[in-house]
Amino acid sequence: MSLNAELRAFYEARYPQIPAEARKVMERAGQELADSGQAADALSVGDRAPRFELPSATGRTVTLDGLLADGPVVLTFYRGAWCPYCNIALRALQSHHAEITARGARLVAVSPQVPDESLSLTEKHELAFDVLSDLGSDTAKQYGLAFDLPDDLAAVYDTFGFDLQRVNGGHPRTLPLPATYVIDRDRVIRWAFVDTDYTARAEPADILAALAAL
């Protein structure tokens, strides 16, 4: 089963369980985000990837330049450990991690979570790649991915118990669009996936094909 088929199956099982009023808010916010055109305006193929310097789950400082010193980079942005779709996507990337590294690339994931939350995620899923904390979503903003939750959707997320105030270190409203980039050693984006739909993610097979084409 492809990653997106797995995500769709999860969505179809989970979504009917959400209260109707919450679903209306989520659907309206999702449509507004799609209509905003932000995905099309985010960085894409041919753009120069902005540098970053972010803390890892284990307390190390990781830079894009340092990662690129070893080869191309697969950079993926996710919303947080509270998002089940993100967890499914990260597990899928972990299952293909050996194939990514076999192509000489480094995989790194970025979210607005505090490092402790990233560490819990790393340990839970036994992730072999770096999970970085982009508090305040400053790096996501540079890539054109950061957006603010509308008030009513933030309230819905509060009822779900996501506690974004805590896990995002006081920046509960700002999240990144789901996005994955393949960046070459010259910091040029050679492949990109960006979507406003949080239930859709880059297919690992497509990432591997992009690496093979470098």
Side-chain angles (χ1 to χ4, degrees):
M1 180 184 294
S2 70
L3 170 57
N4 281 286
E6 182 180 358
L7 291 167
R8 177 51 51 177
F10 180 85
Y11 170 85
E12 290 175 352
R14 179 185 179 91
Y15 203 65
Q17 301 174 18
I18 298 173
E21 284 304 311
R23 290 203 304 267
K24 289 180 182 178
V25 171
M26 295 169 69
E27 289 166 3
R28 183 176 65 251
Q31 189 60 56
E32 289 174 354
L33 186 58
D35 291 343
S36 72
Q38 183 173 352
D41 292 336
L43 294 189
S44 191
V45 175
D47 291 327
R48 184 64 63 89
R51 290 184 168 92
F52 59 75
E53 183 175 314
L54 297 171
S56 74
T58 56
R60 296 184 301 107
T61 297
V62 176
T63 68
L64 179 58
D65 287 342
L67 294 167
L68 289 172
D70 295 328
V73 167
V74 176
L75 172 65
T76 190
F77 289 85
Y78 70 101
R79 304 197 305 167
W82 52 269
C83 169
Y85 301 92
C86 298
N87 286 297
I88 292 170
L90 291 173
R91 287 199 301 269
L93 288 173
Q94 175 58 38
S95 70
H96 290 82
H97 184 244
E99 295 169 87
I100 291 171
T101 57
R103 287 162 173 78
R106 294 283 298 275
L107 171 62
V108 63
V110 175
S111 86
Q113 295 183 131
V114 297
D116 280 351
E117 290 295 316
S118 297
L119 181 59
S120 297
L121 175 74
T122 299
E123 293 174 340
K124 178 181 178 181
H125 298 307
E126 298 181 336
L127 302 180
F129 51 88
D130 281 318
V131 178
L132 308 182
S133 293
D134 180 25
L135 290 182
S137 296
D138 290 337
T139 297
K141 290 173 185 175
Q142 292 183 63
Y143 283 76
L145 303 172
F147 71 97
D148 290 334
L149 295 172
D151 291 342
D152 52 358
L153 182 57
V156 166
Y157 281 3
D158 285 342
T159 68
F160 290 168
F162 290 157
D163 197 8
L164 298 185
Q165 179 71 29
R166 178 183 64 82
V167 300
N168 285 4
H171 301 276
R173 298 290 295 280
T174 307
L175 298 175
L177 299 180
T180 300
Y181 294 101
V182 172
I183 304 168
D184 71 17
R185 298 188 72 171
D186 294 321
R187 263 196 313 120
V188 176
I189 296 171
R190 300 287 294 275
W191 183 85
F193 171 94
V194 182
D195 203 315
T196 57
D197 181 359
Y198 62 85
T199 72
R201 302 300 165 106
E203 284 290 347
D206 294 336
I207 296 169
L208 293 171
L211 289 171
L214 293 180

